[in-house]
Amino acid sequence: MSNIKLIIEERPSNIGNFMVGRLLPFREKRMVGPFSFIDHMGPTLMSDYENLDIPPHPHIGLSTLTYLFEGCIMHKDSLGTQVEVRPGQVNWMTSGKGIAHSERTPEYLRHTNKMLHGLQIWVALPKDLEQMEPEFFHADADEIPSWEENGIQYKLIAGEVLGHKSPIPVYSPLYLLELKSTAKTNIKIGDRLFGESAIYILDGGIESEENTFGPKQLLVAKENSLCEFTMLENTTLYIFGGEPFPEERFIYWNFVATSKELIEAAKTKWLIQEFEPVPGETEFVPLPEQRL
């Protein structure tokens, strides 16, 4: 019997002036563990007159994780943070009760041809921390745990699993693993994982129970741990998951919360521009007109 509960294909989504591949949320699977949102950005070649420009927008009740394969993004937020995100680094912004941030092409790249490719992820906060004070954490590429096991290159981008711990300050039990193969290799780590699990295939493919799966597919496991599978040569994939929360999460635009009341309060706060402003920014993304 197959251990794959659900196969989710990337769906195109417009996030302003930039198209992404949306993976989560999905109508049949809103979250995997605490992971509530995953976008695959690119790979996109932008010309000398095309730039990423996402003006200040708000978040509550979650942490955002930005992980780039190619390109650079200038992150600015209402805490006063201003940092350039580069490939292999991890940007981890915890919104808690509320934060605003912008994401733009750095000034020195705005008049050149450039690539942008990476993942943007939301991780919901536990109920008792969803109104915490906002925080920001940035990790350089060499701070992310990496190792080799049976010919597979591993990176633990966030969380704690397989005997390793990422420096990213997560707030619930979770993991985000990167696996890279150069040759066809059998993987069996399911008994070392926990909670809900899913695989996202970026490049290459995997074989599982006589089926082959390829890029831009998200495979959600039936059981709490993944079954055995085979990575094909030159494959990059991400295994992520963790302990699910007991409460339902409501998602409206950039807000995640355990109650509709918290989301309504955040909507009003953004409408009247009472979120802390992002220094150096004058624009903002207006609240979309849609029902909760």
Side-chain angles (χ1 to χ4, degrees), residues 4-209:
I4 296 172
K5 178 180 181 180
L6 186 64
I7 302 170
I8 301 174
E9 304 279 351
E10 275 190 26
R11 294 98 61 205
S13 182
N14 195 320
I15 58 168
N17 68 335
F18 195 77
M19 292 298 294
V20 298
R22 177 81 26 99
L23 292 157
L24 285 178
F26 185 64
R27 63 184 179 274
E28 296 174 40
K29 187 63 178 172
R30 306 299 293 176
M31 297 174 66
V32 175
F35 289 81
S36 60
F37 178 99
I38 301 179
D39 271 353
H40 175 209
M41 305 183 295
T44 300
L45 175 62
M46 294 189 284
S47 68
D48 57 359
Y49 60 87
E50 294 176 306
N51 292 293
L52 178 71
D53 277 307
I54 303 176
H57 54 282
H59 291 284
I60 65 165
L62 55 86
S63 297
T64 64
L65 189 157
T66 302
Y67 185 70
L68 297 181
F69 314 130
E70 295 179 90
C72 300
I73 295 175
M74 179 59 71
H75 165 99
K76 295 181 181 179
D77 63 40
S78 51
L79 296 174
T81 309
Q82 180 170 323
V83 64
E84 183 178 338
V85 194
R86 297 179 178 177
Q89 298 177 337
V90 177
N91 243 35
W92 178 262
M93 182 185 74
T94 299
S95 63
K97 66 182 185 181
I99 198 169
H101 73 130
S102 64
E103 297 160 290
R104 301 185 186 273
T105 299
E107 193 61 39
Y108 71 94
L109 292 176
R110 296 184 75 83
H111 303 292
T112 64
N113 294 336
K114 58 267 177 187
M115 290 291 295
L116 187 59
H117 191 198
L119 295 174
Q120 288 210 305
I121 295 169
W122 296 356
V123 179
L125 287 167
K127 184 176 181 178
D128 62 336
L129 293 175
E130 64 180 339
Q131 289 286 288
M132 66 181 282
E133 292 295 323
E135 297 179 349
F136 178 83
F137 186 86
H138 177 87
D140 286 328
D142 60 6
E143 297 177 78
I144 304 303
S146 59
W147 68 97
E148 182 177 324
E149 193 174 309
N150 299 324
I152 299 294
Q153 295 293 328
Y154 286 81
K155 277 187 184 177
L156 180 56
I157 298 168
E160 184 172 3
V161 76
L162 306 183
H164 296 267
K165 184 177 182 178
S166 168
I168 305 304
V170 302
Y171 292 100
S172 67
L174 62 87
Y175 45 87
L176 174 58
L177 280 163
E178 177 186 84
L179 281 68
K180 290 191 174 188
S181 68
T182 55
K184 190 173 181 178
T185 308
N186 192 45
I187 304 292
K188 191 173 183 180
I189 59 173
D191 57 349
R192 299 161 65 191
L193 302 178
F194 58 87
E196 295 182 324
S197 296
I199 297 176
Y200 171 60
I201 305 167
L202 179 69
D203 294 307
I206 70 169
E207 293 175 350
S208 177
E209 295 146 336

